[in-house]
PDB file of all heavy atoms in Angstrom:
ATOM      1  N   VAL A1317      -1.544  -7.103  -2.604  1.00  0.00           N
ATOM      2  CA  VAL A1317      -2.465  -5.994  -2.318  1.00  0.00           C
ATOM      3  C   VAL A1317      -2.847  -5.252  -3.596  1.00  0.00           C
ATOM      4  O   VAL A1317      -3.978  -4.811  -3.753  1.00  0.00           O
ATOM      5  CB  VAL A1317      -1.839  -5.021  -1.289  1.00  0.00           C
ATOM      6  CG1 VAL A1317      -2.640  -3.747  -1.153  1.00  0.00           C
ATOM      7  CG2 VAL A1317      -1.675  -5.723   0.061  1.00  0.00           C
ATOM      8  N   PHE A1318      -1.905  -5.135  -4.522  1.00  0.00           N
ATOM      9  CA  PHE A1318      -2.097  -4.344  -5.732  1.00  0.00           C
ATOM     10  C   PHE A1318      -2.584  -5.189  -6.897  1.00  0.00           C
ATOM     11  O   PHE A1318      -2.203  -6.346  -7.034  1.00  0.00           O
ATOM     12  CB  PHE A1318      -0.791  -3.644  -6.116  1.00  0.00           C
ATOM     13  CG  PHE A1318      -0.281  -2.754  -5.052  1.00  0.00           C
ATOM     14  CD1 PHE A1318       0.626  -3.200  -4.118  1.00  0.00           C
ATOM     15  CD2 PHE A1318      -0.723  -1.438  -4.970  1.00  0.00           C
ATOM     16  CE1 PHE A1318       1.099  -2.368  -3.111  1.00  0.00           C
ATOM     17  CE2 PHE A1318      -0.261  -0.595  -3.974  1.00  0.00           C
ATOM     18  CZ  PHE A1318       0.653  -1.065  -3.052  1.00  0.00           C
ATOM     19  N   THR A1319      -3.391  -4.564  -7.753  1.00  0.00           N
ATOM     20  CA  THR A1319      -3.868  -5.234  -8.957  1.00  0.00           C
ATOM     21  C   THR A1319      -3.765  -4.253 -10.120  1.00  0.00           C
ATOM     22  O   THR A1319      -3.986  -3.048  -9.943  1.00  0.00           O
ATOM     23  CB  THR A1319      -5.324  -5.699  -8.810  1.00  0.00           C
ATOM     24  OG1 THR A1319      -6.138  -4.579  -8.485  1.00  0.00           O
ATOM     25  CG2 THR A1319      -5.466  -6.757  -7.739  1.00  0.00           C
ATOM     26  N   PRO A1320      -3.434  -4.738 -11.305  1.00  0.00           N
ATOM     27  CA  PRO A1320      -3.414  -3.859 -12.474  1.00  0.00           C
ATOM     28  C   PRO A1320      -4.851  -3.561 -12.899  1.00  0.00           C
ATOM     29  O   PRO A1320      -5.732  -4.405 -12.750  1.00  0.00           O
ATOM     30  CB  PRO A1320      -2.678  -4.675 -13.525  1.00  0.00           C
ATOM     31  CG  PRO A1320      -2.791  -6.094 -13.091  1.00  0.00           C
ATOM     32  CD  PRO A1320      -2.961  -6.085 -11.603  1.00  0.00           C
ATOM     33  N   ASP A1321      -5.077  -2.365 -13.428  1.00  0.00           N
ATOM     34  CA  ASP A1321      -6.415  -2.034 -13.912  1.00  0.00           C
ATOM     35  C   ASP A1321      -6.448  -2.124 -15.428  1.00  0.00           C
ATOM     36  O   ASP A1321      -5.440  -2.437 -16.070  1.00  0.00           O
ATOM     37  CB  ASP A1321      -6.921  -0.704 -13.381  1.00  0.00           C
ATOM     38  CG  ASP A1321      -6.193   0.509 -13.961  1.00  0.00           C
ATOM     39  OD1 ASP A1321      -5.457   0.374 -14.951  1.00  0.00           O
ATOM     40  OD2 ASP A1321      -6.396   1.614 -13.428  1.00  0.00           O
ATOM     41  N   ASP A1322      -7.574  -1.830 -16.025  1.00  0.00           N
ATOM     42  CA  ASP A1322      -7.724  -1.978 -17.481  1.00  0.00           C
ATOM     43  C   ASP A1322      -7.054  -0.862 -18.280  1.00  0.00           C
ATOM     44  O   ASP A1322      -6.991  -0.932 -19.494  1.00  0.00           O
ATOM     45  CB  ASP A1322      -9.206  -2.086 -17.856  1.00  0.00           C
ATOM     46  CG  ASP A1322     -10.019  -0.899 -17.377  1.00  0.00           C
ATOM     47  OD1 ASP A1322      -9.497  -0.051 -16.631  1.00  0.00           O
ATOM     48  OD2 ASP A1322     -11.213  -0.832 -17.742  1.00  0.00           O
ATOM     49  N   ARG A1323      -6.508   0.158 -17.589  1.00  0.00           N
ATOM     50  CA  ARG A1323      -5.811   1.256 -18.268  1.00  0.00           C
ATOM     51  C   ARG A1323      -4.297   1.080 -18.217  1.00  0.00           C
ATOM     52  O   ARG A1323      -3.556   1.977 -18.619  1.00  0.00           O
ATOM     53  CB  ARG A1323      -6.168   2.604 -17.627  1.00  0.00           C
ATOM     54  CG  ARG A1323      -7.636   2.935 -17.670  1.00  0.00           C
ATOM     55  CD  ARG A1323      -7.918   4.184 -16.885  1.00  0.00           C
ATOM     56  NE  ARG A1323      -7.561   3.917 -15.489  1.00  0.00           N
ATOM     57  CZ  ARG A1323      -7.191   4.837 -14.589  1.00  0.00           C
ATOM     58  NH1 ARG A1323      -7.129   6.092 -14.936  1.00  0.00           N
ATOM     59  NH2 ARG A1323      -6.889   4.500 -13.367  1.00  0.00           N
ATOM     60  N   GLY A1324      -3.849  -0.041 -17.700  1.00  0.00           N
ATOM     61  CA  GLY A1324      -2.399  -0.253 -17.584  1.00  0.00           C
ATOM     62  C   GLY A1324      -1.806   0.404 -16.359  1.00  0.00           C
ATOM     63  O   GLY A1324      -0.591   0.477 -16.228  1.00  0.00           O
ATOM     64  N   LYS A1325      -2.649   0.852 -15.448  1.00  0.00           N
ATOM     65  CA  LYS A1325      -2.191   1.449 -14.189  1.00  0.00           C
ATOM     66  C   LYS A1325      -2.367   0.425 -13.091  1.00  0.00           C
ATOM     67  O   LYS A1325      -2.760  -0.718 -13.317  1.00  0.00           O
ATOM     68  CB  LYS A1325      -2.986   2.717 -13.872  1.00  0.00           C
ATOM     69  CG  LYS A1325      -2.734   3.845 -14.843  1.00  0.00           C
ATOM     70  CD  LYS A1325      -1.428   4.536 -14.522  1.00  0.00           C
ATOM     71  CE  LYS A1325      -1.259   5.774 -15.369  1.00  0.00           C
ATOM     72  NZ  LYS A1325      -0.522   6.789 -14.705  1.00  0.00           N
ATOM     73  N   VAL A1326      -2.114   0.837 -11.871  1.00  0.00           N
ATOM     74  CA  VAL A1326      -2.217  -0.037 -10.710  1.00  0.00           C
ATOM     75  C   VAL A1326      -3.254   0.538  -9.759  1.00  0.00           C
ATOM     76  O   VAL A1326      -3.442   1.741  -9.701  1.00  0.00           O
ATOM     77  CB  VAL A1326      -0.833  -0.124 -10.003  1.00  0.00           C
ATOM     78  CG1 VAL A1326      -0.911  -0.878  -8.713  1.00  0.00           C
ATOM     79  CG2 VAL A1326       0.193  -0.759 -10.933  1.00  0.00           C
ATOM     80  N   ARG A1327      -3.914  -0.345  -9.045  1.00  0.00           N
ATOM     81  CA  ARG A1327      -4.828   0.116  -8.002  1.00  0.00           C
ATOM     82  C   ARG A1327      -4.644  -0.745  -6.756  1.00  0.00           C
ATOM     83  O   ARG A1327      -4.103  -1.859  -6.830  1.00  0.00           O
ATOM     84  CB  ARG A1327      -6.277   0.104  -8.466  1.00  0.00           C
ATOM     85  CG  ARG A1327      -6.845  -1.240  -8.755  1.00  0.00           C
ATOM     86  CD  ARG A1327      -8.278  -1.132  -9.274  1.00  0.00           C
ATOM     87  NE  ARG A1327      -8.898  -2.437  -9.281  1.00  0.00           N
ATOM     88  CZ  ARG A1327      -9.595  -2.955  -8.274  1.00  0.00           C
ATOM     89  NH1 ARG A1327      -9.746  -2.271  -7.157  1.00  0.00           N
ATOM     90  NH2 ARG A1327     -10.128  -4.147  -8.362  1.00  0.00           N
ATOM     91  N   VAL A1328      -5.085  -0.211  -5.625  1.00  0.00           N
ATOM     92  CA  VAL A1328      -5.047  -0.974  -4.384  1.00  0.00           C
ATOM     93  C   VAL A1328      -6.319  -1.823  -4.388  1.00  0.00           C
ATOM     94  O   VAL A1328      -7.384  -1.370  -4.009  1.00  0.00           O
ATOM     95  CB  VAL A1328      -4.989  -0.040  -3.156  1.00  0.00           C
ATOM     96  CG1 VAL A1328      -4.931  -0.856  -1.881  1.00  0.00           C
ATOM     97  CG2 VAL A1328      -3.800   0.902  -3.241  1.00  0.00           C
ATOM     98  N   GLY A1329      -6.183  -3.051  -4.831  1.00  0.00           N
ATOM     99  CA  GLY A1329      -7.342  -3.925  -4.997  1.00  0.00           C
ATOM    100  C   GLY A1329      -7.761  -4.650  -3.745  1.00  0.00           C
ATOM    101  O   GLY A1329      -8.925  -4.971  -3.570  1.00  0.00           O
ATOM    102  N   ARG A1330      -6.810  -4.921  -2.854  1.00  0.00           N
ATOM    103  CA  ARG A1330      -7.088  -5.678  -1.634  1.00  0.00           C
ATOM    104  C   ARG A1330      -6.406  -5.015  -0.428  1.00  0.00           C
ATOM    105  O   ARG A1330      -5.476  -5.571   0.160  1.00  0.00           O
ATOM    106  CB  ARG A1330      -6.588  -7.111  -1.796  1.00  0.00           C
ATOM    107  CG  ARG A1330      -7.255  -7.870  -2.923  1.00  0.00           C
ATOM    108  CD  ARG A1330      -6.635  -9.264  -3.074  1.00  0.00           C
ATOM    109  NE  ARG A1330      -6.897  -9.777  -4.398  1.00  0.00           N
ATOM    110  CZ  ARG A1330      -6.074  -9.688  -5.447  1.00  0.00           C
ATOM    111  NH1 ARG A1330      -4.926  -9.120  -5.331  1.00  0.00           N
ATOM    112  NH2 ARG A1330      -6.424 -10.185  -6.605  1.00  0.00           N
ATOM    113  N   PRO A1331      -6.859  -3.804  -0.051  1.00  0.00           N
ATOM    114  CA  PRO A1331      -6.192  -3.077   1.030  1.00  0.00           C
ATOM    115  C   PRO A1331      -6.197  -3.811   2.376  1.00  0.00           C
ATOM    116  O   PRO A1331      -5.282  -3.627   3.175  1.00  0.00           O
ATOM    117  CB  PRO A1331      -6.964  -1.766   1.124  1.00  0.00           C
ATOM    118  CG  PRO A1331      -8.299  -2.053   0.517  1.00  0.00           C
ATOM    119  CD  PRO A1331      -8.046  -3.095  -0.542  1.00  0.00           C
TER     120      PRO A1331
END
Side-chain angles (χ1 to χ4, degrees):
V1317 170
F1318 301 93
T1319 57
D1321 70 12
D1322 57 353
R1323 300 173 298 154
K1325 293 282 188 148
V1326 173
R1327 66 182 192 91
V1328 181
R1330 299 176 200 95

